[in-house]
Amino acid sequence: MSASSAQAGFVAPDAAELAPHFPGYEIQGLIATGGMGAVYCAVQKSLDRTVALKILPTEFSKDAAFCAGFEAEAKAMARLNHPNLIGVYDFGEVNGMLYIIMEFVPGKSVYHSAYGRAIDPAETIRLVTGICNGLAHAHENGILHRDIKPSNILLDLNVQPKIGDFGLARPIEWKIQEGDEIFGTPHYTAPEVVNAPHSVDYRADIFSVGVLLHELLTGKLPADDPRPASAIIHCDPRFDAIVKKATQTLPAARYSSASEMAKDLQVIGTALAQKSTRVVAPAGIHRGVNTPRSHGYAKRKKSSSTPIVMVVLALIAAAAAYHFLGGKPPQPKPVEEPVIVVPAKPEPTKPATSDIPEDMGPGTATPPEISKTPVKKPVMDPVEVAPVEDNTDGVKKPVFDGTAAPKYDVNAFLLRARKAMQEKSKRLVSITSAQLNSNFSDFEKEFRKQARKGKMGIDEVDALVETWKTKGNRIPPSTDQGFARDPQLQAIRETSEARQKGIDETLKQNIEQLASIYLGGLEKQIERLEADNDLGAVRLLKEEIAQTKGSSTYFSGLMTGTSGNE
């Protein structure tokens, strides 16, 4: 088992352990694992087809609401059949584990392949058109994705985009229940997802694609550089109009369908293709494809101009290679790792914390790669925050202090945002509780067995175990009775305590990730309120951000029901 698996809290079963439960498949090995499940590469024996097998922790199968949502998601995805969507073949439950069998995509994500880089406009059109076509098919079948972003778009070995990770997907006719996710991914999420979640429809996906289009063209998010794409990279200004229409604040002002957006992109693509045919270039330099062809000339006519022509062609070829391949000569495309052609490399922007996947996407062979440079947390100056009071439901909220009265209902927004995060944390807390109980149960068995060998009385053992259970099934400290006089018992305790610390650390990391999403949602809302000049609401949200960042226990307290105050 890899170190990452151990740290994740969820221990992925070995392929040999899973094999008896999936007799129709040859499980070849683990692709990726995380706290929310594991993905394996397998071969469906009857069809000799490579597939991705995703299993979830057993704790999920005990949650009736989650099981219902999982089944609805799987059935929704199975209804989709499009080359730009990851296919779903089967789902079910075996040995207490929910599973889903999907199309295997051996390539990397757009995030991993193109983060921080400006992509050739023709290649961008090809990629985004494919994404639009896949979404159009999903929308026509009544399915929203609701979390379109680079890390959820995989590229197969032919560099064809495939939309995955329909974890937030839902049938259009479903009404959003209170407590559902309201943020999506900051910077890619349409305004109505935060402001009016009950009104969200397919046009929220179109907004996200508009952001993605700008990012692929420029290497930057619109939030980081709001200038039109043509002002950043001098591309066709018609791209600006498409991005602007797709990302309109009002859904009704956006494209009426993903197909309509794809058609506008194809108009530019046709113009670019016609323009390129009027430029003399040697065969084999193909816009947007990093795979040079081999050429040859059957005969060469003797001519005094031949040397000059050859020099000109060579110069054109070199210039084209430099332009389209970012200054590098053409190299054969590796079969196992498709790449996107990158003509320019603007200064990379800092990745949003929510781009780090909470879980693996369907069929992801290689998870998105985040910069290995350690991120230093900024040192915050003391911030004076408004007093807080307990609401009737126990959730603390800011008190208006009378200055710059907000026009926006900040209290309602914070309560809704916290409720959404609390719903997500409930599952994490439930999983953690089950893992802690299982760890304590194993410890109790070993403790009783060794205690009997050490001649410890049954009554004494029972009393100790009951005391530990009343303290939340936590592994006792080394100073507790019985450990000092028996080194074997101390060794058992230390082993169980180490597992307990790992489980606790996993919960802490997951809560911190939720805090990043929470803060991202608040910051996005501040951007909108600043545009409306609602300084009172901005002040209150900034106070909430300051309190969340300034206290290591504030947010975790909100999520777990403790005070959250240091």
Side-chain angles (χ1 to χ4, degrees):
M1 184 59 56
S2 66
S4 61
S5 302
Q7 293 172 354
F10 167 68
V11 179
D14 292 332
E17 295 178 49
L18 289 177
H21 304 296
F22 296 93
Y25 298 85
E26 179 184 339
I27 303 176
Q28 297 185 331
L30 184 67
I31 297 174
T33 185
M36 305 294 284
V39 179
Y40 300 81
C41 177
V43 175
Q44 187 176 3
K45 297 176 182 178
S46 60
L47 298 176
D48 193 23
R49 173 173 64 180
T50 301
V51 299
L53 166 63
K54 182 175 182 178
I55 65 168
L56 279 66
T58 55
E59 290 81 3
F60 286 151
S61 64
K62 301 173 185 177
D63 185 333
F66 182 86
C67 289
F70 178 81
E71 180 177 353
E73 175 190 336
K75 288 181 177 179
M77 292 171 64
R79 293 205 302 267
L80 307 179
N81 182 18
H82 192 275
N84 295 116
L85 300 176
I86 292 178
V88 170
Y89 305 141
D90 196 9
F91 74 97
E93 180 182 348
V94 294
N95 196 34
M97 296 181 298
L98 295 171
Y99 72 88
I100 187 167
I101 295 174
M102 303 161 290
E103 175 186 0
F104 177 77
V105 181
K108 294 184 177 182
S109 71
V110 170
Y111 176 87
H112 184 277
S113 301
Y115 170 70
R117 311 187 208 178
I119 305 304
D120 175 58
E123 179 72 353
T124 297
I125 290 173
R126 185 185 69 80
L127 291 172
V128 178
T129 297
I131 294 168
C132 285
N133 290 337
L135 277 178
H137 179 75
H139 295 164
E140 290 165 3
N141 283 273
I143 304 298
L144 308 181
H145 190 283
R146 300 181 75 245
D147 197 24
I148 293 295
K149 57 185 178 182
S151 59
N152 285 341
I153 310 297
L154 301 183
L155 300 173
D156 64 16
L157 295 181
N158 294 316
V159 203
Q160 295 300 317
K162 285 182 172 289
I163 305 173
D165 198 358
F166 273 70
L168 289 178
R170 65 176 69 250
I172 290 176
E173 66 271 13
W174 276 23
K175 293 182 179 180
I176 296 181
Q177 303 298 318
E178 184 179 2
D180 274 3
E181 175 63 74
I182 65 169
F183 286 149
T185 300
H187 304 309
Y188 297 95
T189 305
E192 66 270 18
V193 175
V194 176
N195 296 330
H198 292 82
S199 68
V200 172
D201 61 18
Y202 62 90
R203 290 170 294 192
D205 286 344
I206 292 175
F207 181 97
S208 301
V209 176
V211 175
L212 180 61
L213 172 61
H214 182 280
E215 184 180 16
L216 289 178
L217 286 169
T218 67
K220 301 179 181 181
L221 285 165
D224 297 325
D225 190 339
R227 292 179 298 163
S230 62
I232 299 173
I233 63 163
H234 308 295
C235 63
D236 191 313
R238 285 177 292 183
F239 280 117
D240 302 337
I242 295 176
V243 171
K244 183 177 181 179
K245 185 172 182 178
T247 58
Q248 286 290 317
T249 301
L250 295 177
R254 296 175 203 152
Y255 283 100
S256 60
S257 68
S259 297
E260 183 184 353
M261 182 175 176
K263 289 178 182 178
D264 279 0
L265 285 170
Q266 288 170 339
V267 170
I268 303 177
T270 300
L272 290 177
Q274 292 174 346
K275 183 178 179 180
S276 65
T277 59
R278 293 195 295 269
V279 178
V280 178
I285 301 300
H286 180 55
R287 192 177 186 86
V289 177
N290 196 19
T291 308
R293 300 172 184 170
S294 59
H295 317 289
Y297 296 94
K299 295 182 179 180
R300 297 181 182 272
K301 295 183 178 180
K302 294 182 179 180
S303 171
S304 60
S305 62
T306 297
I308 298 175
V309 173
M310 293 304 297
V311 169
V312 171
L313 289 176
L315 289 174
I316 293 175
Y322 183 89
H323 176 70
F324 293 117
L325 304 178
K328 297 180 180 180
Q331 299 294 329
K333 181 176 70 176
V335 174
E336 72 281 4
E337 185 174 319
V339 294
I340 301 175
V341 178
V342 181
K345 295 185 179 180
E347 182 180 353
T349 56
K350 181 180 178 181
T353 54
S354 54
D355 276 341
I356 303 175
E358 179 180 324
D359 192 13
M360 297 79 62
T364 306
T366 306
E369 186 175 279
I370 307 300
S371 171
K372 296 180 176 60
T373 304
V375 178
K376 296 183 179 179
K377 295 184 179 180
V379 178
M380 294 188 58
D381 294 326
V383 179
E384 183 179 353
V385 297
V388 295
E389 64 179 3
D390 286 332
N391 194 19
T392 53
D393 60 1
V395 178
K396 294 186 177 182
K397 60 184 181 181
V399 177
F400 301 129
D401 61 8
T403 61
K407 294 177 281 187
Y408 181 71
D409 190 347
V410 174
N411 282 338
F413 171 78
L414 289 178
L415 291 174
R416 186 171 72 247
R418 291 168 180 171
K419 182 69 174 178
M421 295 295 98
Q422 286 165 351
E423 288 299 316
K424 293 178 75 68
S425 70
K426 280 181 182 178
R427 190 178 303 159
L428 299 173
V429 172
S430 175
I431 292 172
T432 300
S433 178
Q435 291 173 338
L436 290 173
N437 290 340
S438 175
N439 183 53
F440 184 84
S441 178
D442 293 341
F443 162 76
E444 180 186 349
K445 291 176 184 177
E446 293 299 319
F447 176 82
R448 289 183 178 278
K449 184 189 301 183
Q450 183 60 33
R452 286 196 297 270
K453 293 180 181 179
K455 304 295 193 325
M456 188 181 291
I458 294 178
D459 291 341
E460 182 181 4
V461 171
D462 288 343
L464 287 172
V465 171
E466 286 304 314
T467 299
W468 297 331
K469 286 183 177 180
T470 60
K471 296 180 180 180
N473 285 353
R474 304 289 296 183
I475 304 302
S478 59
T479 55
D480 265 31
Q481 183 181 355
F483 295 114
R485 64 179 185 246
D486 190 335
Q488 291 297 324
L489 287 178
Q490 189 68 268
I492 293 171
R493 191 204 68 79
E494 290 175 355
T495 299
S496 298
E497 184 182 48
R499 287 198 295 264
Q500 178 178 272
K501 287 181 178 179
I503 295 169
D504 290 339
E505 181 61 24
T506 295
L507 176 62
K508 179 183 176 182
Q509 292 174 0
N510 286 330
I511 292 295
E512 287 175 351
Q513 191 173 50
L514 289 182
S516 296
I517 298 173
Y518 180 68
L519 290 170
L522 298 184
E523 289 167 353
K524 188 67 176 178
Q525 189 63 15
I526 284 175
E527 292 177 13
R528 299 181 181 117
L529 293 172
E530 285 178 335
D532 295 336
N533 200 32
D534 191 348
L535 301 182
V538 168
R539 173 179 53 81
L540 292 177
L541 288 180
K542 285 185 176 180
E543 290 171 355
E544 176 71 5
I545 289 175
Q547 187 157 1
T548 302
K549 289 183 176 179
S551 169
S552 61
T553 60
Y554 174 70
F555 184 79
S556 63
L558 292 176
M559 296 301 99
T560 58
T562 59
S563 66
N565 292 324
E566 292 181 321

